[in-house]
Amino acid sequence: MAIVLLLRHGHSTANEQGVLAGWTPGVGLTERGRRQARDVAGRLSSLTLARAVASPLQRCAETAALALADAATAPETDDRLGECHYGAWTGLHLAQAAKDDLWRVVQDDPAAATFPPHDVYRAESLLTMAQRVVGAVRDLDAEVEAAHGSDAVWLAVSHGDPIKAVVAEAVGAGLAGLQRVRVDPGSLSVVQVTPTRMVLLASNTTAGDLAPLVSVPRHTPAGDGAVGGGDGGSSTTDRSPNSPAGT
């Protein structure tokens, strides 16, 4: 089945200020974030991407443009990959948010967390956000596979909480496991989407060759784990451009 690379945007001005950006306009990358995105471009050079889809928010658009500067694939946008709608928490300093009673709900019972309403910024629950993003990844992955085959690799550029939701889904933790996942700015996580489940291949990587991370067991049905843990590469399907199998 197709594989998705989940790229969190690079370090942003909101990250620098310690605020929850949400859908605030005008939040772009810092110089550190631009370096991170350029580093991603180097990591992607070993792969052929079938498609790239990004959140429409500025920090993701800037990250996608830099990460794909040398690629043949131009990024598209999809609102479903956008950040959680934090409502009245939008623009809030994280230190201040931590004093709110809702903070403990977000940490300990994410499925019960709904952000407070606001006159300007939409509010949604973490559950709605997770369903939106996981559903989008499944839909987009199916489109990629239908158009490019089961060996295709594609890129989704999104935000911390949305990517955490997909990773939590991939390891079977669901939304309850959201805060057990770390996704740093500029990091890549790798997920295989199969008919039965998502499978996590790598999480929160910030350096190194991506080709081994998009390899899956060759002799195991899609979605099944290799009994015993696999052999580390000799029985995997290599999806890099220079693969001996031509995949």
Side-chain angles (χ1 to χ4, degrees):
M1 309 299 290
I3 285 178
V4 56
L5 305 174
L6 300 164
L7 171 60
R8 184 182 174 191
H9 63 78
H11 188 260
S12 71
T13 55
N15 296 143
E16 189 171 58
Q17 296 161 8
V19 301
L20 197 61
W23 284 69
T24 305
V27 177
L29 300 182
T30 62
E31 181 51 43
R32 174 182 168 190
R34 289 187 284 273
R35 287 197 303 271
Q36 290 170 335
R38 288 191 288 268
D39 288 344
V40 171
R43 299 184 70 196
L44 292 176
S45 64
S46 65
L47 302 176
T48 298
L49 296 177
R51 190 174 178 183
V53 187
S55 157
L57 294 171
Q58 179 179 330
R59 52 200 183 274
C60 283
E62 291 179 0
T63 299
L66 290 168
L68 297 168
D70 299 322
T73 306
E76 309 164 34
T77 60
D78 191 319
D79 285 359
R80 295 176 297 172
L81 297 181
E83 179 62 284
C84 184
H85 292 274
Y86 293 117
W89 270 33
T90 303
L92 198 65
H93 281 269
L94 291 172
Q96 184 180 355
K99 299 175 183 178
D100 192 310
D101 290 343
L102 180 59
W103 181 269
R104 287 268 41 101
V105 182
V106 170
Q107 298 300 318
D108 303 332
D109 189 13
T114 299
F115 293 96
H118 189 269
D119 291 341
V120 176
Y121 296 109
R122 177 182 157 195
E124 69 180 338
S125 67
L126 285 174
L127 178 59
T128 301
M129 177 277 296
Q131 291 172 337
R132 162 170 61 84
V133 178
V134 171
V137 169
R138 290 190 182 281
D139 290 347
L140 291 165
D141 191 86
E143 291 175 9
V144 168
E145 184 168 346
H148 301 281
S150 60
D151 287 335
V153 179
W154 64 285
L155 179 73
V157 186
S158 188
H159 307 263
D161 278 345
I163 293 175
K164 287 162 59 178
V166 177
V167 171
E169 175 70 18
V171 297
L175 194 57
L178 186 74
Q179 305 303 356
R180 296 172 183 259
V181 178
R182 177 169 173 170
V183 177
D184 292 322
S187 68
L188 280 160
S189 298
V190 187
V191 168
Q192 181 189 22
V193 183
T194 80
T196 56
R197 66 188 69 153
M198 290 182 170
V199 178
L200 181 66
L201 303 181
S203 178
N204 200 39
T205 73
T206 56
D209 186 5
L210 288 172
L213 303 184
V214 299
S215 297
V216 296
R218 186 186 299 276
H219 304 299
T220 303
D224 288 355
V227 177
D231 62 9
S234 63
S235 63
T236 59
T237 298
D238 183 358
R239 298 164 188 245
S240 65
N242 298 317
S243 164
T247 57

